[in-house]
Amino acid sequence: MIYEKAPAKINLALDVLHKREDGYHEVNMIMTTIDLADRIELKSLEQNEIKIVSDNRFVPDDERNLAYKAAFIIKEKLGIQKGVQITIDKQIPVAAGLAGGSSDAAAVLRGLNKIWKLQLTHEQLAEIGSEIGSDVPFCVYSSTACVTGRGEKIHELPAPPPCWIVLAKPSIGVSTRVVYEQLTLEYLNHPDIEGMKQAIQKQDYSGMTAKLGNVLETVTFRLHPEVKTMKERMLKAGADNVLMSGSGPTVFGLTRKDQKAERIYNSLKGFCNEVYVVRMLGQRLPVD
């Protein structure tokens, strides 16, 4: 039996360049991980089956679960006739723009690589992960990276300068598919991806906060005004800058001061049930 950490991700910058011939959008993103994580327990089974266990009613226990898909695809690709029980202790909010399901899948890939002694590299596991979902390759590394293509091209960066992250998830669901469908590519205000890279490489916290940007905000804010309201409330509470992660609905604020993080947290708790104060992680997780 082994345990794997499955950290949430946030997008420090998210740009969409064009729609590809395969129907996906070409993206250019800076992503990192935070200290809010699911805990995955993997246990070998004598019988050749995949069993999902979770006490969270929003976590499916069949092939709809990305963790199940990860175990299925690695068994299929490598011809493994072994079983596994995957227990998911869910801490990341579901459907939040934080890649919780993708991170669970990536944790299963890393964990099975260890438990079955497959000796696959990050690159090989990420390639398998790209068949499961667009965020899974990044989550295999769970580091800090510039992510391009449809999410499968990972260019690692140093961990960002340390700071506190306050997360707030409004109690709504956002359809990533609908957000991308309603994106008008000609009129986007593109974030400065290169500037964000340089700020991270120089450990320039002020530069990093200044370069936050997400082209999906305009669509999600139009469809769900409460997400925009949450961002404005967080800024008013004193965050150095605030951004929506992925297609939302979670927004996050940055601060270097723990007292300010606590103040922002307290100011949001009355308006939002799911608020968290966490630290930035951004360092690669091992696969062996």
Side-chain angles (χ1 to χ4, degrees), residues 27 40 53 66 90 93 109 118 120 133 150 166 185 207 209 213 233 248-249 251 258 263 266 271 282:
V27 296
I40 309 298
V53 178
L66 297 186
K90 200 77 186 149
L109 292 177
L118 303 176
L120 299 175
R150 66 174 183 86
V166 184
L185 294 170
T209 56
R233 193 178 293 279
V251 296
D258 55 352
R263 195 159 65 241
N266 289 332
F271 302 94

Side-chain angles (χ1 to χ4, degrees), residues 13 15 30 189-198 210-213:
D15 198 9
I30 306 291
N189 185 15
H190 298 281
D192 183 359
I193 301 289
E194 285 305 312
M196 176 61 79
K197 275 191 207 172
Q198 289 171 20
K211 299 297 183 184
L212 292 180

Side-chain angles (χ1 to χ4, degrees), residues 104-122:
D104 292 350
V108 168
L109 292 177
R110 289 194 305 270
L112 292 180
N113 193 44
K114 296 169 186 174
I115 208 168
W116 289 339
K117 297 180 170 53
L118 303 176
Q119 297 184 306
L120 299 175
T121 64
H122 282 89

Side-chain angles (χ1 to χ4, degrees), residues 247-263:
S247 57
T250 301
V251 296
F252 65 91
L254 277 60
T255 178
R256 293 202 111 161
K257 299 175 181 174
D258 55 352
Q259 289 181 327
K260 187 179 279 188
E262 192 174 338
R263 195 159 65 241

Side-chain angles (χ1 to χ4, degrees), residues 64-85:
R64 293 171 296 163
N65 191 305
L66 297 186
Y68 182 103
K69 288 182 181 179
F72 180 84
I73 197 168
I74 206 166
K75 278 166 56 64
E76 285 285 299
K77 279 190 170 293
L78 301 178
I80 294 168
Q81 301 297 309
K82 297 177 182 177
V84 62
Q85 177 175 293

Side-chain angles (χ1 to χ4, degrees), residues 201-268:
Q201 286 162 342
K202 293 176 183 175
Q203 294 294 286
D204 176 5
Y205 172 77
S206 297
M208 178 178 75
T209 56
K211 299 297 183 184
L212 292 180
N214 181 347
V215 296
L216 302 182
E217 278 191 338
T218 51
V219 178
T220 301
F221 287 177
R222 189 177 73 247
L223 296 173
H224 305 281
E226 56 267 58
V227 181
K228 183 181 181 184
T229 301
M230 190 63 69
K231 177 175 180 175
E232 291 167 348
R233 193 178 293 279
M234 200 179 280
L235 282 167
K236 192 173 180 181
D240 293 330
N241 205 352
V242 180
L243 193 69
M244 182 181 80
S245 185
S247 57
T250 301
V251 296
F252 65 91
L254 277 60
T255 178
R256 293 202 111 161
K257 299 175 181 174
D258 55 352
Q259 289 181 327
K260 187 179 279 188
E262 192 174 338
R263 195 159 65 241
I264 297 166
Y265 172 87
N266 289 332
S267 72
L268 296 174

